[in-house]
């Protein structure tokens, strides 16, 4: 198994439970590297919103531009609204990790406590969408992307959790799955990974990106009409965690800060985040031009030249 330093650091951070105090929002002093093609404004720097969490993950934006994210070790989902207000949305979330909204406004969550997929209604009511694969417990759904039909593509890496009673995986591989609308049985659609993690699809729904954090690679696939995947290509060599896309086709990869690639896989920008690990990111705000970044115990925003596709 290939294990790099960034992955080991991620595991160490994600398992840590610590208590830190809130911080007044202010400008981070991290340097920013851009070029003429960059979607990041020159001399821009990320703004610290709060530092009061154990490990932030899974940001997702609703139709209004409000952003929801998880504090996974503390089993909470938080809301950061378009006016800049931070509030607790849900406690006891099934140890939710990756999040995404469906067309009905339900929050679809990778519920790590029992390795399930949940649908969380606006009032907090939970519906379990998926709980196993061919009778075996999933490794641990980590991140997800919904297609136009409402089907769910999700990654299933294995990260041993302190709160699990089991000590080993029931499945012998870590793969990518698809859960069709109205079904409870996921189908494996992509394999040959060391440890798949982040996942995101293009605006037209024809391309899917998967980050294999264990191998230090980002792959892209063609999404077929029957929801299968084909034409796997190496997109970039990076140990990425979460990912997002903007309307111009740039891919943003979280990990050691934020790295931005153009549609051909060429790095065009890098944003330094002054935290141990940058786990995930999404676009939000009223105009979808705020890059929202979950980074270890903190959250940041960065105003962008471009808008997200969410």
């Amino acid at each position: 198994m290939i294990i790099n330093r960034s992955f080991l650091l991620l595991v160490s951070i994600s398992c840590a439970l610590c208590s830190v105090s809130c911080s007044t929002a202010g400008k981070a002093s991290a340097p920013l590297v851009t070029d003429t093609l960059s979607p990041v404004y020159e001399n821009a720097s990320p703004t610290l919103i709060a530092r009061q969490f154990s490990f932030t993950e899974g940001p997702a934006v609703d139709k209004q531009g409000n952003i929801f994210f998880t504090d996974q070790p503390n089993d909470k989902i938080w809301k950061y609204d378009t006016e800049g207000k931070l509030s607790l949305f849900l406690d006891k979330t099934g140890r939710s990790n990756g999040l995404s909204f469906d067309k009905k406004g339900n929050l679809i969550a990778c519920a790590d406590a029992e390795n399930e997929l949940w649908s969380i209604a606006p009032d907090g009511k939970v519906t379990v969408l998926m709980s196993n694969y061919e009778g075996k417990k999933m490794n641990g759904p980590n991140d997800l992307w919904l297609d136009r039909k409402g089907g769910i593509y999700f990654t299933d890496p294995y990260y041993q959790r302190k709160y699990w009673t089991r000590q080993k995986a029931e499945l012998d591989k870590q793969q990518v799955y698809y859960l069709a609308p109205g079904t409870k049985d996921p189908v494996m659609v992509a394999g040959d990974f060391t440890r798949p993690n982040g996942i995101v699809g293009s605006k037209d729904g024809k391309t899917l990106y998967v980050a294999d954090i264990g191998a230090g690679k980002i792959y892209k696939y063609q999404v077929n009409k029957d929801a299968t995947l084909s034409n796997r290509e190496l997109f970039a060599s990076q140990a990425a965690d979460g990912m997002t896309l903007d309307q111009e086709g740039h891919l943003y990869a979280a990990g050691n800060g934020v790295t931005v690639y153009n549609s051909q896989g060429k790095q065009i920008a890098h944003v330094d985040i002054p935290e141990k690990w940058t786990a995930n990111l999404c676009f939000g705000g009223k105009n979808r031009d705020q890059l929202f970044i979950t980074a270890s115990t903190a959250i940041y925003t960065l105003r962008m030249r471009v808008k997200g596709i969410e």
Side-chain angles (χ1 to χ4, degrees), residues 55-58 68-72 76-78 96-99:
F55 190 78
T56 54
E57 251 287 8
F68 294 71
F69 65 96
T70 63
D71 183 2
Q72 203 268 349
K76 300 180 187 298
I77 296 177
W78 289 82
S96 287
N97 197 336
L99 304 173

Side-chain angles (χ1 to χ4, degrees), residues 75-89:
D75 201 13
K76 300 180 187 298
I77 296 177
W78 289 82
K79 177 182 178 180
Y80 180 69
D81 70 20
T82 57
E83 302 301 323
K85 180 182 177 182
L86 185 65
S87 60
L88 182 65
F89 169 68

Side-chain angles (χ1 to χ4, degrees), residues 1-8 11 158-159 174 192-196 212-217 219 232 238-239:
M1 178 181 293
I2 301 173
I3 301 178
N4 54 53
R5 292 183 178 179
S6 294
F7 165 66
L8 291 175
V11 174
Y158 189 87
Y159 293 101
Q174 303 180 49
D192 194 19
F193 299 105
T194 301
R195 183 170 275 112
D212 186 346
I213 194 171
K217 307 289 184 182
Y219 297 100
R232 166 170 156 150
Q238 179 185 337

Side-chain angles (χ1 to χ4, degrees), residues 33-35 37-39 235-238 250-251 253 256 258-272:
V33 180
T34 65
D35 64 18
L37 298 175
S38 174
F235 179 76
S237 295
Q238 179 185 337
H250 303 119
L251 183 138
N256 180 19
V258 176
T259 306
V260 188
Y261 296 92
N262 65 15
S263 58
Q264 287 73 49
K266 176 186 176 182
Q267 181 179 332
I268 59 172
H270 182 82
V271 181
D272 286 329

